[in-house]
Amino acid sequence: MTPTRFRWPAALALAACAFLGAATAHADTYPSKPIKLIIPYAVGGSTDQTGRLMAKSLSERLGQPVVVENRPGAGGTLGQDFVAKAPADGYTLLFSAAGPLAVTPHVYPKLGYDPIKSFYPITLVATQPLLLVVKPELKVNSVSELVAEAKGKPGKLSYGSFGNGSAAHLAGEYFKMLAGVDMVHVPYKGSGPALVDLVAGQIDLMFDVFSTSAPLVKGGKLRAIAITSTQRSPQFPQVPTMQQAGVADFEAGTWFGLLAPANTPRSIIDRLSHETNAALQEKELQEILASQGASVRGGTPDQFKTYFLAEFNKWGKIVKSAGITAE
């Protein structure tokens, strides 16, 4: 008979083997049920559009439905908080833009989640510039004319954004700082609602993600006077960059990425990253993203983490320098 002092180590070893076996089996069978993809913005915005494209491709590749669930509000932080508190089993994922991860935490220091510790980066999907668009009734055709209009009417012009602390908000405040103008910020629960009011003339201008504002510009409902990338867009070659328009060193935009709750098994993270990168190689998906002014990225979870941390530190310095605070 085995002495008592040797029974516990043996039992623990057997338990460990059983646990590892169960974990391996779980990874091999993942996913075995539908996956919920949380988008922290309203339906119709750029994050929603891009996230739904990825959900469709991942559904086909994973063999299980990837169901989109929009949870807008508070600049995207409500959806982030929901995923941060979800089980780390790979069945609740986050498709986020840059704002709630790299910008908002510097504006709202007391969030229900930690942007770095609460999530496991999976894949950087795409980057996208912003268009500076104005309502047709606003009689400005260039950035210099906008600056003159704003300086002539301090505190009268209003600019919308898809949430306080979002990339659009930050771009607006950065513009105010560099151009020396005073404008009123009006935050919305997503790009879609903000654009509705902009087209209706309820607000005057907006730095909006290319994919949602470009169709309105082409349709004549809005006028684009600048783009925030360092290069002009092939779709709007007549629209200058902010730097070309006279705002030195101005570069902004957003990015989209897939993340999971922290502590999700690495095997699941790697599976999701592999399938996401494969989806990004699809010609149809690339063409759709290009039509939205986006640049396909991809890469490993570790590469995404490095990129995210660099963005977090970059925009944190700008928030502090611009004096952006919670409204």
Side-chain angles (χ1 to χ4, degrees):
M1 183 176 292
T2 305
T4 302
R5 57 190 173 139
F6 293 121
R7 290 177 183 172
W8 279 108
L12 289 172
L14 288 173
C17 289
F19 175 79
L20 291 174
T24 302
H26 177 70
D28 289 342
T29 58
Y30 175 84
S32 59
K33 61 182 181 179
I35 297 170
K36 185 183 298 183
L37 183 64
I38 303 300
I39 296 179
Y41 292 109
V43 175
S46 58
T47 310
D48 178 67
Q49 291 180 356
T50 310
R52 289 177 184 276
L53 285 175
M54 291 307 306
K56 179 177 179 295
S57 293
L58 288 175
S59 293
E60 296 170 353
R61 292 185 170 278
L62 292 170
Q64 287 287 347
V66 178
V67 182
V68 171
E69 182 177 312
N70 296 85
R71 285 181 170 264
T77 61
L78 296 184
Q80 307 274 330
D81 187 62
F82 178 82
V83 176
K85 294 177 172 59
D89 57 6
Y91 290 100
T92 302
L93 304 177
L94 172 68
F95 191 86
S96 180
L101 291 169
V103 180
T104 306
H106 301 291
V107 180
Y108 292 98
K110 294 183 180 180
L111 294 173
Y113 64 92
D114 184 306
I116 297 174
K117 296 179 181 180
S118 297
F119 305 105
Y120 203 140
I122 298 172
T123 306
L124 176 63
V125 171
T127 55
Q128 194 175 64
L130 306 175
L131 278 175
L132 173 52
V133 289
V134 300
K135 64 181 183 182
E137 297 83 1
L138 191 64
K139 304 304 180 182
V140 300
N141 294 291
S142 66
V143 174
S144 60
E145 290 181 1
L146 175 61
V147 171
E149 181 78 4
K151 287 187 175 181
K153 301 176 180 178
K156 298 298 183 181
L157 293 183
S158 58
Y159 77 95
S161 77
F162 37 85
N164 194 40
S166 65
H169 177 202
L170 197 64
E173 291 298 311
Y174 196 36
F175 173 64
K176 286 170 56 178
M177 182 178 68
L178 294 180
V181 297
D182 181 20
M183 301 187 300
V184 178
H185 173 227
V186 183
Y188 290 82
K189 293 182 179 181
S191 181
L195 288 171
V196 169
D197 271 8
L198 180 58
V199 171
Q202 299 300 311
I203 54 177
D204 298 304
L205 59 125
M206 181 177 176
F207 283 91
D208 186 50
V209 178
F210 190 99
S211 60
T212 49
S213 55
L216 295 171
V217 173
K218 293 178 180 178
K221 295 183 178 180
L222 296 176
R223 185 164 58 255
I225 61 174
I227 191 169
T228 63
S229 54
T230 57
Q231 301 292 328
R232 295 194 183 205
S233 166
Q235 296 188 45
F236 297 107
Q238 77 282 6
V239 177
T241 68
M242 289 291 288
Q243 295 182 29
Q244 291 171 340
V247 186
D249 300 323
F250 192 104
E251 182 182 359
T254 190
W255 44 263
F256 308 105
L258 184 67
L259 305 96
N263 301 318
T264 299
R266 180 66 190 225
S267 58
I268 291 177
I269 296 295
D270 288 340
R271 172 77 191 281
L272 289 167
S273 181
H274 174 79
E275 300 300 347
T276 302
N277 277 285
L280 291 175
Q281 297 303 310
E282 297 173 2
K283 183 178 179 180
E284 180 182 5
L285 183 62
Q286 290 183 344
E287 290 177 347
I288 293 175
L289 289 174
S291 71
Q292 297 176 349
S295 298
V296 174
R297 298 301 295 266
T300 68
D302 293 335
Q303 288 172 331
F304 184 17
K305 182 178 181 180
T306 299
Y307 178 87
F308 162 58
L309 290 176
E311 285 284 288
F312 181 84
N313 292 328
K314 169 187 173 181
W315 292 114
K317 293 177 182 178
I318 294 176
V319 166
K320 183 178 181 180
S321 178
I324 300 174
T325 57
E327 296 179 356

